[in-house]
Amino acid sequence: MRKRLLLFLALSMSAQASEQFGGVFFDTSVEQVQINALKKDLVYLYNTPQKHIDQDLLFLGGLKTGQGPELHNWMINRLKYIVGEDFDLTANTYMVKKPVVYPNTPLPLPKVKPKLPYANFKSANKVNSFVVMSNPSGGFYVQGKKKKRLLFTKLDGARAVISSPRVGLVQVGQGLFRDRDKLGKNTNAPGYAIYRLSTLIHEGRHTDGSGVDIGFRHDYCPLGHPFENTNACESAGNGPYTVGTLAKRQLLRNCTNCTTAEKTFLLSSIADGFSRLLRPDGGSNVVDLEKEIENHQMIYNTYEKHLGLSKIASEKAKITKELAGLQKKITTKKAQITALVSSPKRTQIINPTPEGYFKTISLKDSQLLMQRSLK
Amino acid sequence: MKKALLVFSLCVLALVFFFQDEEEPQKMILEEENSVLPKPVEGVKKVTVTPDQSVLEAELDDALDDLVTMDELKELDSKDVHETPDLILDAGAALGELQEKAQRDPSRRQRTVEFFSSCAQSEDIATAVRAVCWNKVVTLIPEWDLFFPLSEAKIPEEIQLLASKLN
């Protein structure tokens, strides 16, 4: 059975030698330098030991171990075909004439855009922007479902049949591979790799969900948010921003050779990701509160040491005041934990089971695919 | 005898020129140093800013001005905010570079933590960047063994919560 599956994957993906690696098909429209970077990223994901496992990522991402081979398996079940920025998706996507039967689930409803209480004028000075990545799989699937026709995208050497958002067709752009002045030109550095991998994981989540929740579409950000009135936020507790950000945080925690600049670059993206999550409780949870207590305790210990060494009365008074403030904060955080445990506020968790017809690649098979690519 | 006198006077002249040349640049350096140092004001404690510190001050002031603001983010198109905007990523990289410099040069540390605190308190700066700054303050104080009056920093709960998720 496994051999048959591998044969099926090999035939459907490599008929005309574009490039495939570790279970992912790279169309010829993807620049070679980008393919090389993504191949290295997949190897980094697969091989990097994950000593610090994020329990939220396991639970919300539906993972068991959170180790590299499982993360790689999670990804290639959701991202199978990668096309380049110049690939014309509309021109290369066709509709089969013969009608097909789609699952009898409701179609997704349009997201409601909140009305701004003021005119939102944007200046003419535009910042140069670069395409990072997009996932048309869900959109194409819904188009086909509405017309009861099957869609497929013709690639250079393969056909991505859109029988489910899980077809995993994504488009990558220059923005994903940009180097940054402060981080250096080596875009294979682990900081860059983690950024790209977590973006892939984010896009992977867009292939999950069914019916009205198909594709885990984003929500509009509320007024006052930096991205107010754009659909760049998330109310689901297990959507793309959540899973992508948690994956980024775990990969960063396990990065043993990231520079401080790389780490801080990733932290800014993690903070941005968490800032998009619309939570009923504002997002505080027991683990975060415990970390805050730990941080305050470490500062408390440092200041206590300073107090012991200080001989100036005014300085001592200042440190004593800070110690009292820290103690108060620790007590408050502990009370918040007790309150959270006694009456937890649940965030909406969406059933991630995908819709449509697709083949699931087992962990063993994805390991085999990667091992063959590494030979 | 005339020859000897001529040689002697030439030597004297040469020595005069030599010392004049030596003294001139010293005077200039002293003048330069005076122009950098602030003039002490009577009755006020003398400000002791070394040239190195003033360079650091200017560098950190510029860095604070360069950090992405909320208004700048609101200018972005919807397609540019689906992933973390470059403006935020570049700010993160810049903050990391400042931390690296202070890691190498301990004389910059106290001022760098103060800078991170100012960044976290600034209402103009983007939320995500402020959270990273506050995360730096609370993690670097014990790491660098510094004292910084945290109680004087006015940080909204939202920023503190976001910062706590970054560890």
Side-chain angles (χ1 to χ4, degrees), chain A residues 23-24 75-81 135 168 170 200-201 203-204:
Chain A
V24 178
M75 189 187 282
I76 67 162
N77 267 302
R78 290 161 178 83
L79 301 177
K80 296 187 180 77
Y81 301 95
N135 185 344
V170 293
L200 288 166
I201 289 171
E203 292 304 330

Side-chain angles (χ1 to χ4, degrees), chain B residues 81-154:
Chain B
V81 302
H82 179 254
E83 310 291 344
T84 306
D86 279 341
L87 291 169
I88 292 180
L89 294 171
D90 289 339
L95 295 176
E97 193 191 38
L98 288 173
Q99 186 187 338
E100 277 179 350
K101 283 183 180 174
Q103 200 73 43
R104 286 193 296 268
D105 178 3
S107 71
R108 295 173 65 108
R109 290 181 183 175
Q110 184 72 36
R111 188 60 192 91
T112 301
V113 166
E114 284 166 23
F115 160 84
F116 283 134
S117 175
S118 305
C119 150
Q121 289 180 77
S122 169
E123 287 177 10
D124 297 335
I125 293 172
T127 311
V129 177
R130 291 173 72 187
V132 173
C133 286
W134 189 244
N135 175 267
K136 295 288 176 196
V137 172
V138 295
T139 53
L140 291 175
I141 286 173
E143 193 183 317
W144 288 346
D145 194 15
L146 301 172
F147 176 75
F148 176 78
L150 286 171
S151 61
E152 288 169 20
K154 301 283 173 271

Side-chain angles (χ1 to χ4, degrees), chain A residues 73-249:
Chain A
N73 175 268
W74 191 97
M75 189 187 282
I76 67 162
N77 267 302
R78 290 161 178 83
L79 301 177
K80 296 187 180 77
Y81 301 95
I82 299 183
V83 297
E85 195 169 347
D86 296 333
F87 185 87
D88 190 338
L89 279 160
T90 316
N92 288 292
T93 300
Y94 301 85
M95 192 179 283
V96 178
K97 280 182 184 170
K98 198 179 163 190
V100 286
V101 178
Y102 276 88
N104 188 21
T105 52
L107 288 165
L109 301 167
K111 299 274 181 184
V112 182
K113 194 172 182 174
K115 277 184 185 164
L116 284 174
Y118 48 82
N120 185 19
F121 292 119
K122 296 194 177 191
S123 74
N125 304 324
K126 287 284 163 219
V127 180
N128 283 339
S129 64
F130 299 91
V131 174
V132 176
M133 194 182 246
S134 65
N135 185 344
S137 313
F140 282 170
Y141 174 81
V142 172
Q143 269 186 44
K145 189 177 172 180
K146 279 180 185 167
K147 294 186 173 166
K148 295 186 171 49
R149 299 281 195 282
L150 191 64
L151 266 64
F152 67 90
T153 303
K154 231 176 168 179
L155 309 172
D156 188 8
R159 275 182 180 194
V161 180
I162 304 156
S163 54
S164 162
R166 275 285 187 96
V167 65
L169 172 67
V170 293
Q171 187 162 36
V172 292
Q174 228 186 312
L176 191 65
F177 304 91
R178 272 191 73 202
D179 58 32
R180 322 241 155 216
D181 292 343
K182 313 276 182 189
L183 295 190
K185 297 279 170 202
N186 178 17
T187 52
N188 289 322
Y192 287 115
I194 292 172
Y195 166 70
R196 286 190 292 266
L197 285 166
S198 52
T199 308
L200 288 166
I201 289 171
H202 170 117
E203 292 304 330
R205 189 49 138 186
H206 280 302
T207 67
D208 287 337
S210 62
V212 288
D213 297 321
I214 198 160
F216 276 91
R217 291 170 313 140
H218 298 312
D219 297 290
Y220 281 96
C221 299
L223 301 183
H225 191 279
F227 310 133
E228 66 182 13
N229 229 26
T230 55
N231 55 345
C233 283
E234 184 166 293
S235 54
N238 56 339
Y241 283 123
T242 308
V243 176
T245 304
L246 291 172
K248 197 178 290 167
R249 189 172 69 176

Side-chain angles (χ1 to χ4, degrees), chain A residues 26-57:
Chain A
F26 296 97
D27 185 66
T28 45
S29 56
V30 187
E31 288 176 29
Q32 194 57 49
V33 66
Q34 297 177 351
I35 295 176
N36 293 344
L38 290 171
K39 280 160 70 176
K40 281 183 182 159
D41 293 347
L42 288 173
V43 175
Y44 179 89
L45 180 71
Y46 187 82
N47 280 338
T48 305
Q50 302 291 302
K51 286 182 185 165
H52 308 281
I53 299 296
D54 194 310
Q55 295 303 316
D56 284 344
L57 176 64

